[in-house]
Amino acid sequence: MYRTHTCGELNLANAGKEVTLSGWVQKTRALGGMTFVDLRDRYGITQLVFNNDADVALCDRANKLGREFVIQVKGKVTERTSKNLNIPTGEIEITVNELNVISESETPPFLIENDSDGNEELRLKYRYLDIRRPQLRDRLIMRAHIIRAVREYMDGKEFIEIETPNLVKSTPEGARDFLVPSRLQHGSFYALPQSPQILKQLLMVAGMDRYYQVARCFRDEDFRGDRQPEFSQIDCEMSFVHQEDIFETFSGMISHVFKKVKHYDLGELPRLKYHDALKLYGSDKPDLRFDCKIVELNEVLPASEFGVFNTAIANGGLVAGLNAKGCATYTRKQLDELTEFVKVTHRGLGGLVNIRFNEDGTVKSSVDKFYNEEQLRQIGKVFDAQKGDLLLIGSDKISKVRKSLGDLRLELAKKNNWIDPKAWSVLWIVDFPLFEKDEESGEITFAHHPFCSPHLDDMQYFDSDPTRVRAQTYDMVINGNEILSGSIRIHQRDIQARVFGKLGITPEDQESKFGFMLNAFRYGAPPHGGCAFGVDRLVMLLSGGETIRDVMAFPKTAGGRDLMMDAPTVVDKKQLDELGISVKA
Amino acid sequence: MYRTHTCGELNLANAGKEVTLSGWVQKTRALGGMTFVDLRDRYGITQLVFNNDADVALCDRANKLGREFVIQVKGKVTERTSKNLNIPTGEIEITVNELNVISESETPPFLIENDSDGNEELRLKYRYLDIRRPQLRDRLIMRAHIIRAVREYMDGKEFIEIETPNLVKSTPEGARDFLVPSRLQHGSFYALPQSPQILKQLLMVAGMDRYYQVARCFRDEDFRGDRQPEFSQIDCEMSFVHQEDIFETFSGMISHVFKKVKHYDLGELPRLKYHDALKLYGSDKPDLRFDCKIVELNEVLPASEFGVFNTAIANGGLVAGLNAKGCATYTRKQLDELTEFVKVTHRGLGGLVNIRFNEDGTVKSSVDKFYNEEQLRQIGKVFDAQKGDLLLIGSDKISKVRKSLGDLRLELAKKNNWIDPKAWSVLWIVDFPLFEKDEESGEITFAHHPFCSPHLDDMQYFDSDPTRVRAQTYDMVINGNEILSGSIRIHQRDIQARVFGKLGITPEDQESKFGFMLNAFRYGAPPHGGCAFGVDRLVMLLSGGETIRDVMAFPKTAGGRDLMMDAPTVVDKKQLDELGISVKA
């Protein structure tokens, strides 16, 4: 037997017991005729002690142990003289009488501690060493606990876990498919699923009533930001439900997870309409851990010659701002930084007007030329500005102003530590539009995906004013991250065909890409809806990770490479020949 | 709200209650002024009744309902006059006062009942209708329950569920890889994993101690028999263990599953050595639900001029047979069928000698010319032959005789109903060889996979007599099916390199294919071992399915096609261009 106990479980209650432990050498130190070794495994660290007086040879061998050696020891549990009450095993140590080295270790390429000296590339290459760091190890364990809590809840609600295939049909749903050449049918390809969307809907047509799966999804996108080519989602679908049933079920689920994993009571989840979210927070995934709403000024601006604002309003644009509480003392440099922040390409505002309500009662502004003090105070009232506050105001097209101020709001919160790190903001965003119009091309595209059911009340605008049609679509947002997305689905063949048509999918393409789904609706489709939780992001938030790579065992780089395995790689020509494909020169 | 209850939960305790139900019309029948509708959902069937006297119009509409219409009804729970005690809802019916048709249905292409008139191809095409059949639906539900029981057990034993990637490196492990072309690195390919074998071993090196996953595996093989291109395995690995720890852990797991899902107590699992399994049952996955062992005769055959037996023995072959209890009355035709059975190509015996111990006390044989009655009775004693028994004896190369008699044993059991359908045979096969020698080429190949640890006692034969080296490898066999396979792994870099070398893998290939694994063993690898359960086959056995297609939601055909989605398909040239590949003419 390699061990009688793990390195995390012995304590004073075991004193006097003869035990066998196995694990990794975290560190050794010789001290006045004694050698101490911290022995580590997944469960914790136990201190070993070797006494020079008792056994010189054994103590000598202990002194030669290197970091990360795998050893087995036998000895007696003894009360420590100097206790470490920070760890569960800190009141005891093992007085060792037998030592076996199971595997030696070369010097690891980086320090195996939370504050490692290895950069991420090196740590990805040696991921099996990186995972030994307590932080990453504990995040992977928390991931398992979160998924277990989800399953517990779903199983209790009569959801059935069903595995759907990973070799499916290429049906562009928005992102690019990974393809898998077929050997038995040269020239044909499977696709890896972007999500089990259609299959879970067919499971509802099949009468399975309540389905879930921790589903692997694949998207061959450029891995901008924090994306991975494959990721996991908690994929759910239920029949005979309205939106309210979904809100109840999945509010319950997230509350269960928070209770189980964070011992935190979420309470009732607020709901915010999509348009209100944009209007108030400039984002459809607002972080409500702090206030600082956007204030719109079009209707309340005092008359002035200030052309920037007047032009924006005349062109159907928006003048709006934020009240940066307590920031009136910002220096010129700080104000310039904020201006630069909203001017970068993807925000694209022309600049920011600032109005400072100083502690001494004066009001100063970057547009003193155009607004007198009374007018500035009038604007201040709209923001409920107090002494010490700073107003930041922008103007341009509506979407650009909202986006910029939404981002600025987050930036201000970060700079000013407005966010309580222990607070949680979990809410539903509802009433998304069914369609969006591309600002450049004017083309109609879907806002979520083409299977979302319109609000039946809005079908009257379907042809006349399609972007006015609301969808029965909802997101769950946690601390400003979209964690869940879902909808009531279309279960009527005619409505599905109309939506496809509006998206410019020809009847021929509808038949070849989605024929099997439209066909299924001929045979008694139940009303149904569902959602998908992004596992990686959820775990990242709950475990305090900074990227989703921090919560995946073997993630890929931004370039889609696995540095540990060294994948992708070139393959034998024979393999390609068998598949009937060739690589272009 | 679409429903207050499901179709499986109402009973006499609910009598008098006003309820709302939704579901599918299983069938309708008009009977003396009443119309009865069986309303079905995943949970059961509830009888609806429409009374012509009470509401002619409503009753008329009920009469027009077609099979598989989705409807919603409101009404009162009423005690039935003629009860059906075979179903939980059989004592009540719903007296309907409101009927809403939610979705109509065209006539389904086959009967949605357990005994369907649709062939498998048709049912695969309309899988969403096939799953409505109670048998398939219940198997999918049992699948979820089995996996849930597995997780319950594993979670309770401190195993951590970890998801490993599906886009990995092509490292031929025996089967052919599915490849995924990389768009960001033209000419390079990911592979879909044949199993997470190496990754789970690296998780042990990473110190995760106990890992499991319901892992999707992919093998691009020709789908002979009951194979699928993708399948699921319960993949497990543990550190600091010997074989005994594995046996204990996974005997416990399978017992837990049987108890939870079948309410069946497996008791202690027997173990059989690989060589004994071959010798006694002609198979390394013997079905022990019946006895009928192979009896070897080389040492006990009476002297005779019978050349067939004599030659076999002289050539180092085997003479062995079975006692087909109670089959002495087999007709000439039946005996000929058995002879043909062992003569087919993949068995290839020359024929079968039979000896009949008739009820009247006489002994007859197909080799009366060569053996006198006393000699036949002497042979009979070795088989413990009684009146009414039939001995069937063959001779040839050892492997051929064992294989043929092993198959014959199963065939006899089938023909004679020797197997109690309620019995279970669950056992461990142990002490597999590490290597096998190809009978044709004489090449050494691995018996399981190249990561299995040899019995260290047998390392003395590693170079001199490699096929004599036993591996620390084990299978679990249920009713004659291999359900689990596993081993203690090699964790020593030098032994792993020796095994690779013996398999003819050059040092260069070791480095390019497995370098990351050999490297990992430099940094303190713990002893470890594990196994993988075939989910599909396990569920098939427990649910009474005949093929693994019977326990998968969306299986593929023998040609690897998904008939419902119509995959694989040709894709746009643009997609191939992006991937930098082309299809060969």
Side-chain angles (χ1 to χ4, degrees), chain B residues 33-135:
Chain B
M34 316 274 264
T35 295
F36 296 93
V37 173
D38 282 353
L39 189 69
R40 187 196 69 227
D41 66 11
R42 190 186 100 197
Y43 310 92
I45 285 184
T46 298
Q47 179 167 295
L48 313 177
V49 58
F50 298 79
N51 193 328
N52 217 357
D53 290 345
D55 189 335
V56 180
L58 186 69
C59 203
D60 263 6
R61 289 176 56 222
N63 282 324
K64 284 182 189 131
L65 293 172
R67 278 186 181 240
E68 303 304 321
F69 275 38
V70 177
I71 61 171
Q72 180 195 45
V73 294
K74 297 183 184 188
K76 188 186 276 188
V77 182
T78 323
E79 184 168 2
R80 278 202 216 177
T81 46
S82 102
K83 294 179 178 161
N84 174 358
L85 297 180
N86 294 321
I87 59 172
T89 60
E91 296 191 86
I92 57 98
E93 60 195 6
I94 311 297
T95 308
V96 176
N97 55 48
E98 189 182 325
L99 164 66
N100 302 309
V101 174
I102 296 176
S103 298
E104 299 197 349
S105 173
E106 297 181 11
T107 306
F110 52 83
L111 266 184
I112 298 186
E113 291 174 2
N114 280 344
D115 279 327
S116 175
D117 55 350
N119 65 31
E120 190 178 13
E121 196 173 316
L122 192 67
R123 286 186 288 111
L124 281 173
K125 181 168 178 191
Y126 294 92
R127 190 66 165 181
Y128 46 84
L129 299 180
D130 200 21
I131 293 174
R132 289 187 191 165
R133 293 190 306 123
Q135 198 177 57

Side-chain angles (χ1 to χ4, degrees), chain A residues 561 568-573 575-576 581-585, chain B residues 179-190 576-582:
Chain A
R561 291 201 62 76
T569 50
V570 293
V571 297
D572 289 347
K573 184 169 174 300
Q575 285 176 279
L576 300 183
I581 61 170
S582 57
V583 172
K584 285 187 186 168
Chain B
L179 296 181
V180 182
S182 161
R183 180 177 54 86
L184 296 174
Q185 201 172 324
H186 282 184
S188 284
F189 294 79
Y190 301 97
L576 299 184
D577 288 346
E578 284 188 315
L579 297 173
I581 59 170
S582 57

Side-chain angles (χ1 to χ4, degrees), chain A residues 269-285:
Chain A
L269 267 51
R271 294 182 204 170
L272 192 60
K273 288 183 180 165
Y274 170 80
H275 280 299
D276 291 338
L278 288 189
K279 199 177 153 84
L280 295 172
Y281 303 101
S283 166
D284 59 1
K285 36 182 194 279

Side-chain angles (χ1 to χ4, degrees), chain B residues 405-544:
Chain B
L405 293 180
D407 289 355
L408 182 60
R409 176 181 176 269
L410 295 174
E411 179 72 6
L412 287 168
K414 211 195 299 177
K415 282 189 191 296
N416 294 287
N417 292 317
W418 286 345
I419 296 177
D420 171 2
K422 290 196 175 142
W424 291 99
S425 154
V426 183
L427 74 156
W428 290 100
I429 306 291
V430 301
D431 284 350
F432 282 82
L434 184 63
F435 298 116
E436 278 172 358
K437 192 176 266 175
D438 189 282
E439 285 200 357
E440 307 293 309
S441 67
E443 266 176 38
I444 294 282
T445 60
F446 46 81
H448 269 65
H449 57 59
F451 312 114
C452 301
S453 176
H455 268 278
L456 297 183
D457 294 346
D458 294 353
M459 283 305 284
Q460 51 185 314
Y461 312 118
F462 194 89
D463 290 313
S464 56
D465 190 3
T467 58
R468 186 168 169 184
V469 178
R470 288 166 305 158
Q472 299 191 53
T473 297
Y474 33 80
D475 282 359
M476 188 189 287
V477 173
I478 301 186
N479 293 359
N481 294 268
E482 180 206 309
I483 287 296
L484 168 156
S485 189
S487 61
I488 298 296
R489 324 299 184 184
I490 300 167
H491 68 279
Q492 308 93 330
R493 196 176 144 74
D494 55 335
I495 296 185
Q496 186 68 70
R498 271 183 87 183
V499 168
F500 281 148
K502 181 67 73 184
L503 294 169
I505 305 176
T506 64
E508 294 70 35
D509 271 5
Q510 291 179 31
E511 181 52 36
S512 74
K513 302 283 184 199
F514 304 107
F516 65 104
M517 184 187 204
L518 291 170
N519 246 330
F521 289 172
R522 291 180 196 271
Y523 298 101
H528 60 285
C531 63
F533 278 82
V535 174
D536 306 296
R537 197 134 299 173
L538 177 63
V539 176
M540 181 189 89
L541 287 175
L542 288 172
S543 72

